[in-house]
Amino acid sequence: MSQDVIGKSAQDLAQANMQDYATESASFSWDKARELLDGLPGGKLNIAYEAVDRHVNNGGGDKTAFRLIAKDESTTDISYRDLMHLTNRFANALQSLGVEKGDRVYSLLGRVPQLYIAVLGTLKAGCVFSPLFSAFGPEPVKARLEIGGGNVLVTTRLLYKRKVAPIRDQLPELKRILLIDGEDADQDLLDLAKLMDAASEDFEVVATDPEDLALLHFTSGTTGKPKGAMHVHQAVVAHHYTGRTALDLHPDDVFWCTADPGWVTGTSYGIIAPLTNCVTMIIDEAEFDAERWYRILANHKVNVWYTAPTAIRMLMKAGGDLAKKEDLSNLRFMASVGEPLNPEAVLWSVDVLGKPFHDNWWQTETGGIMIANYACMDVKPGSMGKPMPGIEAGIVERTENGAQEVTKPMALGELALRPGWPSMMRGYLHEEERYKKAFSNGWYLSGDLAMRDSDGYFWFVGRSDDVIKSAGHLIGPFEVESALIEHEAVAEAAVIGVPDETAGEIVKAFVALKPGFTADEDLRLSIVGHARKRLGPAVAPKEIVFRDNLPKTRSGKIMRRLLKARELGLPEGDISTLESDEK
Ligand code: ATP
Ligand code: MG
């Protein structure tokens, strides 16, 4: 564990929305958080109204809601007023087709404007939205449409032809296909632009109940078959508040969340939280490219940046010099989510970007950020930070009598949360038993293992399934991987346990190298030597193999279970979300 602490300056504090963590936590209530939003008459609440219309009604219509950067780097700005009219048209178009409140609207689109319009227009119409990642093949698309009972799909001609047409006859509930490039569409395929042109730009937002279903998000599939988590309109209270405190969003900020809306981060923090906080957000249509990313940060004067450990490690691999070519002085706050953020990555960001990345933790199930490093709080590299005000987190043990909290500092246990926050999932779709099993003695059990130190900071250890039991030690893969990537040659590492007669399991590491290093025996010995020095022989990997790439989900998470299944010659299980692959 890293001993460094990155302190915050008076200047950091002067700008922070939350000035003091303890004071804010003591005075917090969800009712007060809800007052930061406008709501609709009669106690109703609609995410899209809070994200768009209320700013126009409050005089902010001219402000840019988002700036789209196309693949060729040309830009299109859409103001809050334009967004209100476009989403109204979309909602009217749905109603003109007979789509009703509660119907399920899906998207299968890249990061194009219509995706954002569809999400918000659907919510305005009181329908439920579920975004699909555009790189999914026909099977994952089918599975998710089937589980959620999708009635409408917004997509492109090409994606429809490749991924939906072959399975269409197996999806009887899928009644309407709206094509964003659907000029002269056939009778069954509708031209979205034409429908929207014909629709009015005025629409009365459907007055949804705070408990009405709004979003259906599938988990990343890192540990198994993806689950469909159901979220309701009042999740927006948590989106807004966490955006304001954990991401420190201010109304004049330019904010860039690099996650694709095909995943919960790209919706909660790539659409809803930034818009409710009235910022200008950046949407980049293209995929990761280190030079392009630094250019975007500089040219568009991004102030707040939310990204993921995989991307940060790729930036580290590309070398800090690239960052130094650009003027990144507008960056004020940087955060990361999705996987454990290695301490090395935080130290790197301080060195190269002049500021630390602030790690935060949450899940598809929690709908919003639960544990975070805040602008006003010192950062301990490698720690996820402290629970959001309003969130009680604990370390628990599963016993015969259910979950029991362990309060001793640095005790290892399962990370658990007291349910009751607005963005908590209301269920796994069609998996009632599984949902029930996630709760015990008033705790929601996350499936992740962690520790809490005496200052109240939480430290991620690994997913329960990934923890290694070797010669009486419980070894968390994160600690070992973090030590490995400290080695100058290592870009990425994934660690698993493989069965061993004497030790029970031994630690095996898969390592991808930075450019310019050769995978040979000398290097292997040097990495093993470094790991032994850092971790001791009991915890250091016994075996290291080199790989060009590590298998990851499309949301950028290393799939250790797949490395393990392959290692042991077991079935690979559900790999519908697998991105990079090499056997
Ligand atoms: P599945 O549940 O289908 O296996 P998944 O858990 O990867 O997939 P998500 O809900 O997208 O699906 O990811 C949440 C998980 O990601 C967390 O439970 C945790 O394991 C990991 N995670 C997210 N943020 C962090 C973080 N800051 N540090 C460590 N792990 C994190
Ligand atoms: Mg999960």
Side-chain angles (χ1 to χ4, degrees):
M1 185 181 304
S2 165
Q3 298 306 313
D4 308 277
V5 173
I6 299 162
K8 292 298 173 66
S9 65
Q11 196 198 350
D12 295 326
L13 259 179
Q15 298 171 346
N17 280 330
M18 176 163 77
Q19 284 288 304
D20 181 69
Y21 174 76
T23 316
E24 176 88 8
S25 301
S27 63
F28 178 86
S29 77
W30 286 112
D31 285 341
K32 269 170 62 186
R34 185 183 291 224
E35 281 166 20
L36 298 168
L37 300 172
D38 287 3
L40 293 172
K44 305 290 183 185
L45 188 64
N46 186 298
I47 294 177
Y49 180 82
E50 301 304 327
V52 187
D53 297 30
R54 76 172 177 128
H55 304 308
V56 183
N57 295 344
N58 295 337
D62 292 336
K63 190 165 172 178
T64 301
F66 52 77
R67 169 167 298 170
L68 282 139
I69 305 176
K71 288 185 179 147
D72 65 3
E73 293 192 40
S74 61
T75 59
T76 313
D77 285 0
I78 297 190
S79 70
Y80 277 91
R81 184 176 298 101
D82 292 343
L83 189 57
M84 179 175 85
H85 290 149
L86 288 163
T87 50
N88 284 350
R89 284 179 188 274
F90 188 91
N92 277 320
L94 285 182
Q95 289 194 343
S96 73
L97 296 170
V99 178
E100 292 176 354
K101 185 167 181 253
D103 283 356
R104 281 116 210 263
V105 179
Y106 279 61
S107 64
L108 180 66
L109 289 170
R111 290 179 294 277
V112 293
Q114 291 89 339
L115 168 59
Y116 299 82
I117 293 162
V119 175
L120 296 159
T122 298
L123 295 173
K124 279 189 168 180
C127 301
V128 180
F129 197 84
S130 184
L132 296 175
F133 193 68
S134 61
F136 279 153
E139 265 314 306
V141 168
K142 181 182 145 216
R144 287 161 180 75
L145 278 164
E146 218 164 29
I147 297 175
N151 308 115
V152 178
L153 176 69
V154 188
T155 187
T156 66
R157 201 177 272 279
L158 187 66
L159 289 171
Y160 176 78
K161 194 168 142 220
R162 285 201 189 145
K163 303 179 181 191
V164 185
I167 48 151
R168 179 79 195 272
D169 58 348
Q170 299 166 46
L171 297 166
E173 292 190 68
L174 184 57
K175 302 266 179 358
R176 309 280 186 191
I177 307 285
L178 308 183
L179 299 180
I180 67 166
D181 53 355
E183 313 83 48
D184 310 318
D186 328 329
Q187 28 150 271
D188 180 41
L189 305 174
L190 299 164
D191 176 354
L192 177 63
K194 204 161 131 195
L195 281 168
M196 283 179 59
D197 283 348
S200 161
E201 65 175 27
D202 297 320
F203 182 80
E204 191 172 337
V205 176
V206 172
T208 36
D209 189 85
E211 277 298 306
D212 278 347
L213 202 56
L215 296 158
L216 175 59
H217 279 300
F218 290 89
T219 59
S220 289
T222 315
T223 54
K225 189 168 173 280
K227 300 151 277 204
M230 298 188 273
H231 291 284
V232 296
H233 275 274
Q234 65 169 316
V236 68
V237 178
H239 295 148
H240 180 76
Y241 181 71
T242 51
R244 190 182 148 89
T245 38
L247 300 180
D248 197 39
L249 294 175
H250 291 57
D252 287 325
D253 280 335
V254 177
F255 170 65
W256 186 22
C257 168
T258 63
D260 188 276
W263 307 106
V264 70
T265 306
T267 308
S268 296
Y269 297 99
I271 305 179
I272 301 170
L275 293 178
T276 64
N277 279 286
C278 203
V279 309
T280 293
M281 63 188 214
I282 298 291
I283 300 166
D284 184 21
E285 202 189 342
E287 297 310 319
F288 176 85
D289 174 274
E291 285 184 56
R292 178 183 173 105
W293 275 32
Y294 288 129
R295 216 163 39 240
I296 289 177
L297 290 170
N299 291 352
H300 301 284
K301 299 189 168 39
V302 173
N303 311 115
V304 183
W305 185 28
Y306 194 24
T307 188
T310 306
I312 298 169
R313 288 191 296 260
M314 289 199 282
L315 292 172
M316 290 166 76
K317 190 170 169 184
D321 288 348
L322 279 186
K324 298 201 163 134
K325 280 198 220 153
E326 300 288 349
D327 174 7
L328 304 178
S329 58
N330 286 292
L331 269 176
R332 186 185 78 244
F333 189 78
M334 309 189 300
S336 161
V337 73
E339 279 205 303
L341 183 65
N342 316 93
E344 188 69 10
V346 179
L347 299 176
W348 177 87
S349 68
V350 173
D351 184 32
V352 173
L353 305 169
K355 326 203 139 38
F357 273 105
H358 295 74
D359 186 21
N360 57 53
W361 175 95
W362 57 290
Q363 308 179 301
T364 310
E365 289 87 341
T366 70
I369 298 170
M370 295 284 110
I371 298 182
N373 286 283
Y374 307 94
C376 65
M377 197 172 87
D378 292 351
V379 172
K380 298 190 188 185
S383 162
M384 310 187 281
K386 295 190 185 185
M388 285 295 308
I391 296 297
E392 183 186 345
I395 300 294
V396 306
E397 242 174 28
R398 292 192 189 214
T399 73
E400 278 177 8
N401 301 321
Q404 302 292 336
E405 189 171 8
V406 227
T407 49
K408 201 169 134 233
M410 297 319 266
L412 174 65
E414 185 163 355
L415 177 55
L417 305 162
R418 289 275 185 212
W421 65 92
S423 66
M424 176 57 176
M425 67 165 163
R426 297 304 192 257
Y428 286 128
L429 205 56
H430 310 314
E431 290 194 89
E432 187 59 24
E433 265 316 296
R434 178 172 216 154
Y435 175 69
K436 277 200 201 132
K437 271 201 194 137
F439 298 88
S440 173
N441 282 348
W443 290 102
Y444 161 69
L445 305 170
S446 73
D448 287 342
L449 295 180
M451 303 183 292
R452 175 175 41 197
D453 71 16
S454 49
D455 296 329
Y457 282 72
F458 281 75
W459 299 79
F460 183 82
V461 173
R463 293 169 183 262
S464 326
D465 300 350
D466 292 338
V467 169
I468 303 159
K469 294 170 199 79
S470 184
H473 297 274
L474 269 186
I475 301 171
F478 175 48
E479 186 185 11
V480 183
E481 290 161 7
S482 291
L484 290 170
I485 79 158
E486 285 171 7
H487 190 282
E488 55 166 4
V490 177
E492 269 194 317
V495 163
I496 62 166
V498 291
D500 178 79
E501 270 185 17
T502 7
E505 279 187 306
I506 56 159
V507 179
K508 176 162 182 170
F510 298 82
V511 160
L513 297 178
K514 287 186 182 155
F517 290 91
T518 312
D520 59 19
E521 190 53 18
D522 283 351
L523 184 58
R524 206 183 59 78
L525 288 174
S526 155
I527 297 172
V528 172
H530 165 78
R532 290 186 156 226
K533 205 163 82 205
R534 284 284 285 103
L535 302 165
V539 177
K542 296 273 179 298
E543 247 186 272
I544 291 188
V545 290
F546 294 113
R547 288 286 161 92
D548 291 340
N549 286 303
L550 301 176
K552 295 198 190 94
T553 65
R554 294 205 171 274
S555 51
K557 295 165 196 270
I558 297 174
M559 288 172 106
R560 294 176 192 81
R561 70 163 160 107
L562 194 56
L563 288 169
K564 189 155 177 171
R566 288 175 180 171
E567 184 69 25
L568 305 183
L570 296 172
E572 293 189 344
D574 187 303
I575 50 166
S576 61
T577 60
L578 177 65
E579 186 187 38
S580 54
D581 197 15
E582 51 136 50
K583 297 197 181 185

